[in-house]
Amino acid sequence: MKRVLVIGAMGMLGRDLLGMLRSSKEVDTPKGFEVVGWDIDEIDIRQEGSTRSKIESLHPNLVINLAAYTDVEGCEANREEAFQVNAEGMKHVAMAAKVCGAKVVYLSTDYVFDGKKNEPYLESDSPNPLNVYGQTKLNGEQYLQEKVEDYLIIRTQWLYGRYGRNFVSSILRQAKEKQTLTIVDDQIGSPTYTVDLSRAILTLIQHNSRGIFHAANQDVCTWYTFGQAILKFSRVEGVSIIPITSKAFGRSAVRPSYSVLSTRKLERETGMSLRPWSEALKEYLGEINFK
Ligand SMILES: NC(=O)c1ccc[n+]([C@@H]2O[C@H](COP(=O)([O-])OP(=O)(O)OC[C@H]3O[C@@H](n4cnc5c(N)ncnc54)[C@H](OP(=O)(O)O)[C@@H]3O)[C@@H](O)[C@H]2O)c1
């Protein structure tokens, strides 16, 4: 029996991916795999000794590392902690995977780029992170590439899903409390649904793909136009949105103004393309509203 280990299994993406890996209904699920999901209660990837011994005794064939310090503002305030989880943590997991001869999948981010390109970023484009989160995720990518030959790095962006705090849940909550919202209108990207991303991850694994891939829902928007769509598709009335600049919003972490990821490599390699973000958003809102 082959064994898949998902680390960060209780996170927003992890819960969807684990559900899909364990569901016999999903056609894309690799067959005949035993699936093990661990999160911070079972493994703390900052700790080298215990991380290596736990993974080495499980002896998985495939390790999917989703564990991360994902609070982008928090990373600015706690640099060392962000580096410990996102970079050193990935290194510890990779060292153990190497001993087991396991393939490693690592989820990374559009924030490895500086946003100056103004056309969709290719996997071969040079990273130049603007914030600590992006820098530590890039360090994680590099450690993985150094330690393991059979790796799959999947860069994605602007995630939302049923199991975590995210932009969609934040806008819906704010719309219950306020009549006017202010949302940043000078960052461009592609909102991505964790269910669609989970399918892309499984498809890449099934194709035994290696190297770096970008995966995101199609079409682009700003956070402001994304916010407008969330209210419109949820039929929220009487709430208006004021577009503002990132500078006026005044967050500590600088974000790229344009971080659209080209997904052509994913399409070429697997024949799969993720649907437009607005279609995915409608389905997601339908499910959380009416179930
Ligand atoms: N969210 C996005 O928009 C986005 C965009 C691009 C890429 N990504 C990447 O996609 C992956 C999944 O993101 P997500 O949004 O699902 O993240 P998430 O909800 O924050 O899940 C990450 C999980 O990892 C756990 N974790 C944190 N530190 C750990 C440690 N030291 N050892 C073991 N587990 C630890 C977290 O536990 P606690 O909750 O207790 O901390 C959480 O359950 C991450 O690698 C992230 O960098 C996310």
Side-chain angles (χ1 to χ4, degrees):
M1 170 79 86
K2 290 196 165 183
R3 201 169 275 149
V4 183
L5 169 62
V6 180
I7 306 177
M10 293 307 287
M12 181 167 67
L13 176 61
R15 288 181 64 176
D16 273 326
L17 183 68
L18 206 69
M20 218 174 262
L21 273 163
R22 287 181 168 155
S23 154
S24 54
K25 283 179 281 177
E26 279 294 333
V27 286
D28 288 341
T29 303
K31 300 280 184 294
F33 272 77
E34 179 196 350
V35 181
V36 177
W38 286 345
D39 206 279
I40 187 83
D41 288 344
E42 291 81 25
I43 189 169
D44 181 345
I45 62 171
R46 292 170 299 182
Q47 310 298 330
E48 178 179 348
S50 55
T51 296
R52 291 189 63 176
S53 63
K54 283 206 82 169
I55 297 176
E56 285 167 30
S57 24
L58 184 73
H59 211 80
N61 307 85
L62 171 65
V63 180
I64 305 175
N65 181 24
L66 311 175
Y69 188 168
T70 52
D71 172 356
V72 178
E73 298 306 305
C75 287
E76 295 297 310
N78 303 296
R79 269 168 188 268
E80 184 50 32
E81 169 76 8
F83 183 74
Q84 286 301 321
V85 182
N86 296 341
E88 289 285 311
M90 181 64 259
K91 182 162 85 180
H92 304 149
V93 171
M95 289 192 292
K98 187 176 177 167
V99 172
C100 304
K103 183 186 186 86
V104 181
V105 180
Y106 177 61
L107 265 288
S108 188
T109 169
D110 57 325
Y111 287 177
V112 298
F113 295 118
D114 62 17
K116 301 201 171 114
K117 190 179 174 198
N118 289 323
E119 59 182 272
Y121 277 96
L122 304 173
E123 289 78 355
S124 52
D125 283 326
S126 297
N128 182 30
L130 300 177
N131 56 45
V132 173
Y133 172 71
Q135 180 61 57
T136 55
K137 294 295 290 186
L138 179 61
N139 294 143
E141 288 187 12
Q142 290 162 341
Y143 280 142
L144 174 58
Q145 288 169 307
E146 272 169 29
K147 302 278 170 210
V148 174
E149 258 177 52
D150 189 0
Y151 67 82
L152 179 56
I153 292 168
I154 304 173
R155 297 193 188 122
T156 189
Q157 62 178 176
W158 295 26
L159 293 187
Y160 65 91
R162 186 183 297 232
Y163 299 113
R165 286 181 55 209
N166 55 67
F167 183 79
V168 181
S169 58
S170 163
I171 292 300
L172 291 175
R173 182 176 35 79
Q174 288 182 55
K176 283 189 188 150
E177 296 162 0
K178 304 181 206 169
Q179 285 185 327
T180 309
L181 313 182
T182 46
I183 306 185
V184 166
D185 194 30
D186 56 5
Q187 294 167 28
I188 299 171
S190 306
T192 300
Y193 183 22
T194 47
V195 167
D196 291 7
L197 176 61
S198 297
R199 290 201 182 101
I201 295 169
L202 294 179
T203 302
L204 282 164
I205 292 169
Q206 276 196 321
H207 280 76
N208 201 20
S209 303
R210 292 175 176 210
I212 303 179
F213 286 83
H214 292 170
N217 278 117
Q218 285 187 9
D219 297 346
V220 304
C221 61
T222 68
W223 292 109
Y224 166 71
T225 47
F226 185 28
Q228 283 180 313
I230 294 165
L231 296 189
K232 183 174 161 207
F233 298 160
S234 309
R235 299 190 191 87
V236 172
E237 282 169 8
V239 177
S240 57
I241 309 182
I242 299 170
I244 57 164
T245 62
S246 305
K247 200 170 174 206
F249 201 63
R251 286 171 130 184
S252 58
V254 179
R255 286 152 169 88
S257 56
Y258 179 94
S259 59
V260 178
L261 299 171
S262 165
T263 56
R264 262 188 272 148
K265 187 176 172 195
L266 168 74
E267 287 151 25
R268 268 200 317 274
E269 176 117 347
T270 67
M272 176 195 205
S273 63
L274 278 67
R275 60 189 155 169
W277 66 263
S278 54
E279 275 178 35
L281 178 65
K282 273 184 207 158
E283 181 183 296
Y284 170 71
L285 290 170
E287 287 186 358
I288 57 163
N289 283 338
F290 303 121
K291 271 196 179 169

